[in-house]
Amino acid sequence: MTSSTTGVLRIATRKSPLALWQTEHVADRLRAAHPGLTVELVPMSTRGDEVLDRSLAAIGGKGLFLKELELAMLRGEADCAVHSLKDVPMELEPGFTLPAILERADYADAFVSNRYANLDELPERGVVGTSSLRRQAQLRARRPDLVLRDLRGNVNTRLAKLDAGDYDAIVLACAGLQRLGFDDRIRARLAAPEWLPAPAQGAIAIECRRKDVATIALFDALNCATPRACVEAERAMNRALHGSCHVPVAAFATLDGTRMHLEGLVGSAVDGRHVRASADGGIDTPDALGELVARELLAHGASELIAASSEPDTGPFVS
């Protein structure tokens, strides 16, 4: 018997302020949907949170944010976990599933600076902080003169480094800033179609054991079909490209009635070269649409960029 069948649900979460906000949000939604349910948070530290002096690609990828939470579920210490879906690998570990994806928040990236209003106002050789190869690739394509420096840590830590004068600007996710009450730090939105986000950026997902039917049932009320179709198309494209944090991949899907439009990009964080592709499909076949755009990207030369990006990363990134 799991704890969820006894009226208690334990949610594993990272300890960062953003992860705790997201988990509390899910907990509040669960309490409203299931009066009488007791929801407890199980905060944990992950290797992805602890190792901040090297890029994610160098230490094993975004999956490091999930591993300890999955082990807690396997040990019976938690019933589920809350994640930013953009951090969830395209293929889950065996025995796990995503029973719910919540409404999507702002998908865009945020240009954050104390001195400059937007990317174009940055001076030549301006210093921009970001740990994302996807963001680095698009920055190099737009402004090859900029100096790009790796930036790790939670949202508060990154803002503090900007305020200390380490960078002229940094790029973060709008959703994370908004969830933590930092809306006023967003100087400009980097948005589609000119700038594409990470697949599933802005979406919160629940992970649990595939066989835990009692826990899965609790999340039926939170699952949102429309954004789920969009993020599934974006993730299907990334999966077909064998994308990971080693590969600068971006994707964004939009809906017009029952029709879905998907834009995809594969780039180079070294020199800004990139290829783009797009296609339309039905809302009921998001995987097929994602795979179609992936094939178009490969036909336009994405394979070369993916192969170059997949070479081992040995340390911190400095341009």
Side-chain angles (χ1 to χ4, degrees), residues 179-241:
R179 286 165 177 160
L180 292 176
F182 292 127
D183 307 59
D184 60 339
R185 300 302 300 264
I186 301 174
R187 298 297 300 274
R189 292 175 73 252
L190 301 172
E194 292 82 9
W195 182 285
L196 297 183
Q201 184 161 303
I204 296 173
I206 315 301
E207 183 183 23
C208 68
R209 297 181 298 274
R210 186 176 295 276
K211 293 183 178 180
D212 191 349
V213 294
T215 296
I216 290 173
L218 291 174
F219 287 103
D220 285 346
L222 274 62
N223 199 33
C224 194
T226 299
R228 181 157 194 147
C230 288
V231 299
E232 283 181 349
E234 295 165 15
R235 284 172 59 81
M237 187 205 84
N238 200 13
R239 186 183 304 111
L241 293 170

Side-chain angles (χ1 to χ4, degrees), residues 28-274:
D28 289 342
R29 293 280 304 276
L30 282 168
R31 294 181 187 114
H34 304 285
L37 177 68
T38 299
V39 182
E40 299 175 352
L41 272 59
V42 183
M44 304 183 69
S45 181
T46 72
R47 179 167 169 77
D49 296 306
E50 294 168 352
V51 181
L52 300 178
D53 61 346
R54 304 182 72 194
S55 68
L56 278 175
I59 61 175
K62 291 183 177 180
L64 293 177
F65 290 132
L66 280 70
K67 191 64 177 177
E68 282 84 353
L69 308 187
E70 290 174 339
L71 290 173
M73 287 186 274
L74 291 175
R75 291 192 299 262
E77 298 168 0
D79 303 300
C80 59
V82 172
H83 307 300
S84 293
L85 186 52
K86 70 181 181 66
D87 294 335
V88 176
M90 298 306 106
E91 300 289 349
L92 295 177
E93 289 294 318
F96 291 95
T97 187
L98 301 178
I101 295 173
L102 279 61
E103 297 90 344
R104 192 176 199 172
D106 193 336
Y107 72 87
D109 278 333
F111 176 86
V112 182
S113 176
N114 293 327
R115 298 178 59 193
Y116 305 100
N118 54 53
L119 190 58
D120 294 330
E121 283 195 8
L122 285 171
E124 186 172 355
R125 300 292 295 173
V127 178
V128 179
T130 173
S131 60
S132 162
L133 295 181
R134 171 189 60 83
R135 291 169 180 155
Q136 291 170 11
Q138 293 184 90
L139 284 167
R140 290 206 185 283
R142 287 271 297 270
R143 289 287 306 271
D145 61 291
L146 295 175
V147 175
L148 308 184
R149 291 184 179 164
D150 196 49
L151 176 63
R152 294 284 314 283
N154 61 44
V155 172
N156 305 66
T157 299
R158 298 185 196 197
L159 290 174
K161 290 180 178 179
L162 171 68
D163 293 342
D166 296 348
Y167 307 90
D168 292 308
I170 61 177
V171 181
L172 301 172
C174 283
L177 290 165
Q178 292 162 351
R179 286 165 177 160
L180 292 176
F182 292 127
D183 307 59
D184 60 339
R185 300 302 300 264
I186 301 174
R187 298 297 300 274
R189 292 175 73 252
L190 301 172
E194 292 82 9
W195 182 285
L196 297 183
Q201 184 161 303
I204 296 173
I206 315 301
E207 183 183 23
C208 68
R209 297 181 298 274
R210 186 176 295 276
K211 293 183 178 180
D212 191 349
V213 294
T215 296
I216 290 173
L218 291 174
F219 287 103
D220 285 346
L222 274 62
N223 199 33
C224 194
T226 299
R228 181 157 194 147
C230 288
V231 299
E232 283 181 349
E234 295 165 15
R235 284 172 59 81
M237 187 205 84
N238 200 13
R239 186 183 304 111
L241 293 170
H242 303 290
S244 68
C245 70
H246 297 269
V247 182
V249 172
F252 185 56
T254 54
L255 288 176
D256 183 5
T258 60
R259 299 296 294 172
M260 185 184 303
H261 179 74
L262 176 62
E263 296 270 349
L265 175 149
V266 177
S268 166
V270 176
D271 57 22
R273 288 180 300 142
H274 63 279

